[in-house]
Amino acid sequence: MDTPVTTFSEGPEDPFAVRRSASAVLDDRGAVVGWSERAEALLGYPAAEALGRRAAGFLVDPRDERVVMEAVAACVRGEGWFGVVPVRHRDGRRVEVGCRVRAIARDADHREWFLVGAPADDVIQWETDRSVLDGLFRRSPIGLAVHGPDMTILRVNRAIAKFSGMRAEEHRGLRTSDFLIPRDTDTVEDQLKEVLETGRSSVFAEQPCVLRRDPARELVVSVSAFRLHDPAGRILGVTQTIEDVTDRHLARRRLALLNEASARIGTTLDVAETARELARVAVPGLADRVAVDLLEPVARGEEPLRDMTGPLVRAAVRTVPPDEADGMHPVGRTMDVPPGTVQARCLAERKPVLDTGPEGPAASPSMEPERTGGGTGPGAHAHLVVPLVARGLVLGLLSLWRSRRLEPFEEDDVTLAEEFAARAAVCIDNARRYTQQHQAALTLQHSLLPHTVPRHPAVDVAHLYLPADATAGVGGDWFDIIPLSGLRVALVVGDVVGHGIHAAATMGRLRAAVHTLANLDLTPDEVLSHLDDLVDRLAAEQEPTDDLSRQVVGATCLYAVYDPVSRHCALARAGHPPPAVVTPDGRASLLDLPAGPPLGLGGLPYESAELSLAEGSLLALYTDGLVQAGDRGTDERDVDERVADLCAALTGPARALEDTCTAVREALLYDHPTDDVALLVARTRVLAEEKVATWELPAEPTAAARARTLTEARLTEWGLEDMHFTTELIVSELVTNAYRYGGGPITLRLIRDRHLICEVSDGSSTSPHLRRARSTDEGGRGLFLVAQLTERWGTRYTREGKTIWTEQALPPVRPEPSPPL
């Protein structure tokens, strides 16, 4: 629906027009000597009844006599008057009449008074309209311009005259192009032509414009326009209202930029990315070019020195257009700060420095290359440098230039730049401090993890460890390969709840505890029980994080022990994902192990599972970060799918274990993990039968002699004649102890690998102790001799009793003598 058009004839006509007004003539005595038909229609008195009578006698109510007399006195003094007076109608009612009085001289001695009257409401409305029209053209602060159909100016008000710098009457016949640059002229005239052609008014359209008389300043104006018609419907032109809203527009834009900065600066805990976010917000919103420079220690993630003045490292650059960045120092460059530059002043004064030349480019020198055109780059007319300050320390500088944008930096721009810099400085400082702590946690974590995987005759192993994303923090995942007695090996994978230094430190304590418990040759379920007690004590030691709660300390763990002689594997888990096993024929599955509660719940039992593994079986232990689905969620369906992907990756073609880890990573970790990932894969080996000798000995006094005979024969068979005396002494002492203090049959086992291992088992759980015998004692020196003759010795317990074991280094291999020449 089209907007109604406006015509010059809208509103009431002049109520004192001859064809509309009532008129009367009074002589010097106030008698009526003239009376019009409109006067009769307005007041009800016919001419015959009014002529000759004193007007005050029949037209004035006694109650209004004072008011009328005051009007008459004013009229006599000024020989004319205009106003509203109360008049009595012929029917007696009171009528408000707008009246205009003028004196008419008949001769030198006589004069008459010509009165023109109309209803007061019409007069007041007409005067109001006249006042409004006069106000629009003389006193209104909003510009008003009337254009003819040919777009020439017919009339403007004083606000437009002030705007253009010309007198109002000088605008007639001119066009918009005489005041605005061509780009803005086309925009304005296109709008006026559309209103003129369609009749649809344009309301509050904001648009930029540049006056020809002030090309260095861009204004923003709010423009409305409507079409004009005469009473016959002929188009007379178009009227345009213009309001300068530059300040309001800039304030709104600054507020929007500030909101944008709040949302876009500091989205990550990365110093470089925060600097780039600051640059992206500042250009083009506040400047044409921007550079973010950080003090060298800050760029490295270190604490800056107080009152430090350089050098600076360029952290971010952004320009409009982008190719202008070629004329500036590139990102990553380290720069000294020359004395006398704006940057040096800003660092020294620790407050914004605004350098705006009144004519041409700003003159103060800058750190930028000379080819950029003096101090601030080609054509730059304004340069603003703001310090990045957080916690009372200057972290760097934000430098802004304007060259393409015409207006200089104003105080509001400086305030906005300070807001940007303050927010960015806090975010940069937080990111720097986080990076510092994160690196410390990573260093601690890496120092606590095994750096190399030891080679072991029981298994071939490879591992994969990936720390979590930087936003998630350092985690407490760990893995271990721990050699045990009898060529057995312990495979361990664990995961501490939480992230950060606290989790890494807890991981280190648990890993040390696992090593200690493993050296005691405890079963997997016993190891987990002791770890559960330890985690419970660690939780009790933690200081509360607030008035009600302590720091959460918890962990999961999987502990497995494999024996390459018997192919026996014992496993137990504490709230940890079950391991995957791939048989030599390529079938993969998860082991069905009792779940066990996570470590730290306290008092709940753990249960070991035992199985035999064929030679060449692949055992995969991992943390939950490998099978949890990250961004896709962690529901049961996703976990099952990823476990299937894990089994598929493990059952690939024959390859090195390191390649198997790579295949698992490519299959499951295509996104960066949101939790630490630890994977330990082990391929089982079996010790050859000829390297193991086992005998059952009766619990008789002759058992030691029998053991020495068997040992000598086997060492001879193995070519270890040089070890006869030492080994026989060790075997004799251990078997004698088993006979004296143990129960049931005695088992002797010799294992030859990198060491010669001697194991003596009996049915007793009594633990032997190494002690120093006195000179008068007849016994007590046996274990002391064993300890002196071996590299290591110890005791482990089984369900059937105990085993005492020793390890001796094999003699070096003698080279074959060279044949004579």
Side-chain angles (χ1 to χ4, degrees), residues 511-521:
R511 181 169 177 249
V514 170
H515 274 262
T516 301
L517 296 171
N519 288 333
L520 296 177
D521 271 323

Side-chain angles (χ1 to χ4, degrees), residues 582 586 588 641-653 655 663-664 667-668:
V582 182
E641 290 177 357
R642 292 173 71 85
V643 167
D645 293 341
L646 170 62
C647 292
L650 293 173
T651 57
R655 57 196 167 193
V664 171
L668 282 86

Side-chain angles (χ1 to χ4, degrees), residues 351-622:
K351 62 181 182 181
V353 176
L354 177 59
D355 183 24
T356 303
E359 296 179 1
S364 298
S366 172
M367 296 191 315
E368 295 307 309
E370 289 297 328
R371 66 177 182 274
T372 60
T376 59
H381 60 81
H383 185 194
L384 173 63
V385 183
V386 181
L388 302 173
V389 181
R391 296 186 301 114
L393 296 175
V394 176
L395 307 180
L397 299 175
L398 170 64
S399 299
L400 306 104
W401 293 269
R402 282 186 179 177
S403 55
R404 296 177 179 272
R405 185 177 300 187
L406 301 177
E407 66 272 15
F409 289 114
E410 301 176 350
E411 287 302 319
D412 288 340
D413 295 321
V414 177
T415 302
L416 182 61
E418 286 184 287
E419 291 287 344
F420 285 1
R423 176 169 182 80
V426 170
C427 294
I428 288 172
D429 190 54
N430 289 341
R432 178 195 62 77
R433 298 170 70 184
Y434 169 80
T435 301
Q436 194 174 40
Q437 294 182 7
H438 184 66
Q439 290 298 327
L442 280 177
T443 302
L444 173 62
Q445 185 188 46
H446 292 164
S447 67
L448 296 174
L449 289 172
H451 296 285
T452 58
V453 176
R455 293 178 58 85
H456 198 279
V459 288
D460 293 323
V461 294
H463 70 280
L464 170 68
Y465 185 86
L466 289 177
D469 184 78
T471 58
V474 179
D477 292 17
W478 90 93
F479 63 91
D480 252 319
I481 302 97
I482 307 173
L484 302 177
S485 64
L487 291 184
R488 296 171 308 127
V489 65
L491 305 174
V492 190
V493 168
D495 183 1
V496 175
V497 173
H499 297 277
I501 292 180
H502 172 70
T506 302
M507 177 266 286
R509 299 177 72 173
L510 291 181
R511 181 169 177 249
V514 170
H515 274 262
T516 301
L517 296 171
N519 288 333
L520 296 177
D521 271 323
L522 300 177
T523 60
D525 56 313
E526 291 176 319
V527 170
L528 295 183
S529 294
H530 285 291
L531 284 180
D532 181 57
D533 293 339
L534 174 61
V535 172
D536 192 46
R537 289 196 300 271
L538 292 178
E541 294 172 359
Q542 300 305 312
E543 295 183 359
T545 55
D546 54 43
D547 293 337
L548 301 176
S549 62
R550 295 181 179 273
Q551 296 181 16
V552 176
V553 178
T556 65
C557 185
L558 174 62
Y559 188 89
V561 176
Y562 174 68
D563 185 346
V565 177
S566 64
R567 297 185 295 107
H568 177 269
C569 184
L571 310 94
R573 63 186 180 119
H576 203 82
V581 173
V582 182
T583 60
D585 59 1
R587 289 180 290 112
S589 63
L590 296 184
L591 290 181
D592 185 14
L593 302 182
L599 301 175
L601 296 185
L604 299 176
Y606 296 94
E607 184 178 351
S608 293
E610 300 181 359
L611 69 155
S612 293
L613 295 176
E615 184 175 11
S617 297
L618 189 67
L619 191 63
L621 290 69
Y622 53 89

